[in-house]
């Protein structure tokens, strides 16, 4: 199972991805990186409330972020042909589309929501578990929380 999470500049239609992380439970492989929005001139939108949630400042993105092209290539190399799970399918799907469209590329992997791995009953348990987790909203920690919550929901364990 591979899970992914994205952090973004906000929730508005003009928002864009600023951090992506994924992890494979089978191999333990993972990756996490920041994206420098300066690599896509039309990416100008910034929501200070979103910044409060994830704690990522624009200066950090400029200093440590990779280009949007590098992000697409890195994701496609690592996730090629794989099904990748998101617990925020609509948002993460939107931001991945923004990323790949900005670079004129297509993802080599397939994004799916929780319904691909959890039954309706397990999704209810998942929601309960996920709400009880403290989240700083950094992508890699959110991926690890997602994996923990999916595992607990599948086993019927609710804290």
């Amino acid at each position: 199972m591979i899970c992914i999470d994205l952090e973004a500049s906000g929730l508005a239609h003009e928002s864009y991805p600023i951090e992506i992380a994924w992890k494979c439970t089978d191999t333990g492989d993972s990756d996490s990186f920041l994206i420098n929005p300066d690599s896509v001139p039309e990416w100008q939108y910034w929501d200070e409330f979103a910044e409060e949630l994830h704690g990522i400042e624009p200066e950090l993105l400029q200093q440590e972020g990779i280009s949007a092209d590098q992000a697409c290539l890195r994701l496609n190399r690592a996730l090629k042909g794989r099904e990748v799970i998101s617990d925020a399918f609509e948002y993460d799907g939107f931001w991945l589309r923004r990323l790949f469209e900005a670079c004129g590329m297509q993802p080599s992997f397939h994004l799916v929501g929780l319904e691909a791995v959890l039954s309706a009953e397990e999704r209810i348990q998942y929601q309960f578990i996920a709400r009880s987790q403290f989240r700083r909203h950094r992508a890699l920690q959110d991926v690890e929380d997602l994996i923990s919550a999916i595992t607990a929901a599948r086993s019927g364990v609710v804290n």
Side-chain angles (χ1 to χ4, degrees), residues 4 13 16 26 47 60 68-69 86-87 92 103 137 150 155-156:
I4 195 167
H13 184 69
Y16 47 86
D26 298 336
D47 183 335
L60 182 65
D69 285 339
S86 166
D87 67 343
D92 289 345
C103 300
H137 290 287
I150 288 172
S155 67

Side-chain angles (χ1 to χ4, degrees), residues 9-51:
S9 66
L11 298 178
H13 184 69
E14 301 83 16
S15 65
Y16 47 86
I18 60 169
E19 183 181 41
I20 301 176
W22 62 267
K23 184 171 185 174
C24 178
T25 59
D26 298 336
T27 63
D29 292 342
S30 67
D31 194 11
S32 178
F33 53 86
L34 298 170
I35 301 171
N36 184 346
D38 291 348
S39 66
V40 182
E42 58 270 14
W43 286 3
Q44 298 293 319
Y45 175 82
W46 190 261
D47 183 335
E48 291 180 9
F49 177 71
E51 181 181 334

Side-chain angles (χ1 to χ4, degrees), residues 2 4 82-89 109-117:
I2 299 174
I4 195 167
R82 304 295 301 267
E83 185 174 85
V84 181
I85 302 158
S86 166
D87 67 343
F89 178 75
F109 55 94
H110 181 65
L111 186 70
V112 297
L114 288 174
E115 68 281 350
V117 294

Side-chain angles (χ1 to χ4, degrees), residues 37-111:
D38 291 348
S39 66
V40 182
E42 58 270 14
W43 286 3
Q44 298 293 319
Y45 175 82
W46 190 261
D47 183 335
E48 291 180 9
F49 177 71
E51 181 181 334
E52 286 181 31
L53 290 176
H54 52 60
I56 301 169
E57 297 178 351
E59 297 78 23
L60 182 65
L61 297 174
Q62 292 166 340
Q63 293 168 3
E64 297 182 19
I66 63 174
S67 72
D69 285 339
Q70 289 172 312
C72 290
L73 293 171
R74 196 159 158 173
L75 288 168
N76 277 346
R77 264 195 307 273
L79 303 175
K80 185 177 182 175
R82 304 295 301 267
E83 185 174 85
V84 181
I85 302 158
S86 166
D87 67 343
F89 178 75
E90 289 184 19
Y91 283 108
D92 289 345
F94 170 76
W95 292 316
L96 282 171
R97 278 190 304 280
R98 294 259 355 226
L99 174 64
F100 279 89
E101 287 172 2
C103 300
M105 296 184 203
Q106 292 291 321
S108 66
F109 55 94
H110 181 65
L111 186 70

Side-chain angles (χ1 to χ4, degrees), residues 110-155:
H110 181 65
L111 186 70
V112 297
L114 288 174
E115 68 281 350
V117 294
L118 296 176
S119 68
E121 183 179 314
E122 289 170 336
R123 286 195 304 274
I124 292 168
Q125 290 176 337
Y126 170 85
Q127 291 297 328
F128 180 77
I129 294 163
R131 285 188 185 123
S132 69
Q133 294 172 328
F134 173 74
R135 290 182 153 199
R136 176 63 181 138
H137 290 287
R138 286 300 301 261
L140 188 56
Q141 183 61 54
D142 283 358
V143 165
E144 290 173 355
D145 290 346
L146 168 59
I147 291 168
S148 295
I150 288 172
T151 303
R154 282 179 166 171
S155 67

